[in-house]
Amino acid sequence: QVQVVESGGGLVQPGGSLRLSCAISGSIFSVITMGWYRQAPGKQRELVADIDSRGSTKYAGSVKGRFTISRGSAVNTVYLQMNSLKPEDTAVYYCNARLLVGSLGDYWGQGTRVTVSS
């Protein structure tokens, strides 16, 4: 069974930084894409950043230049370095993994809460 687990959220002041981590565990899978989504109260879940197997990245315009997505040496690990955080970044952040587990599918973590407030 595939597990996707995020960590690293918390409370931070505006202008501060956090690093989110995501790790996938399981068997018989190939990682196609990993990414981060976020959902603020009353808002739709949105893509923050993703990275494919070749290292190509995408970012939401609102975070470009402030956030960096990267993969660890293990292909089942992904990070989101968040700098210059703003109150509008406050949300629950979810790790998404597009995997081949018999067939192509999306797997989600439970979310980690990020609160940016003074």
Side-chain angles (χ1 to χ4, degrees):
Q1 186 175 17
V2 174
Q3 283 189 294
V4 181
V5 180
E6 308 100 329
S7 63
L11 175 64
V12 65
Q13 291 185 322
S17 298
L18 286 173
R19 188 178 74 155
L20 306 184
S21 300
C22 176
I24 307 168
S25 62
S27 62
I28 315 175
F29 65 86
S30 177
V31 179
I32 307 302
T33 306
M34 296 185 69
W36 291 93
Y37 290 71
R38 67 186 181 188
Q39 188 167 24
K43 297 184 68 176
Q44 190 74 38
R45 186 174 297 186
E46 64 175 348
L47 174 68
V48 177
D50 65 18
I51 185 166
D52 68 15
S53 60
R54 293 189 175 189
S56 180
T57 58
K58 297 178 182 177
Y59 295 93
S62 59
V63 308
K64 193 171 185 178
R66 299 188 296 120
F67 291 10
T68 303
I69 189 169
S70 62
R71 276 180 161 167
S73 57
V75 297
N76 63 340
T77 305
V78 67
Y79 304 97
L80 185 68
Q81 179 67 46
M82 305 187 295
N83 298 325
S84 302
L85 283 161
K86 303 175 180 180
E88 51 263 46
D89 296 317
T90 296
V92 177
Y93 285 70
Y94 297 90
C95 182
N96 168 264
R98 176 160 288 188
L99 310 174
L100 284 173
V101 185
S103 61
L104 186 66
D106 286 314
Y107 297 82
W108 296 88
Q110 81 289 345
T112 185
R113 186 176 300 275
V114 172
T115 303
V116 185
S117 177
S118 60

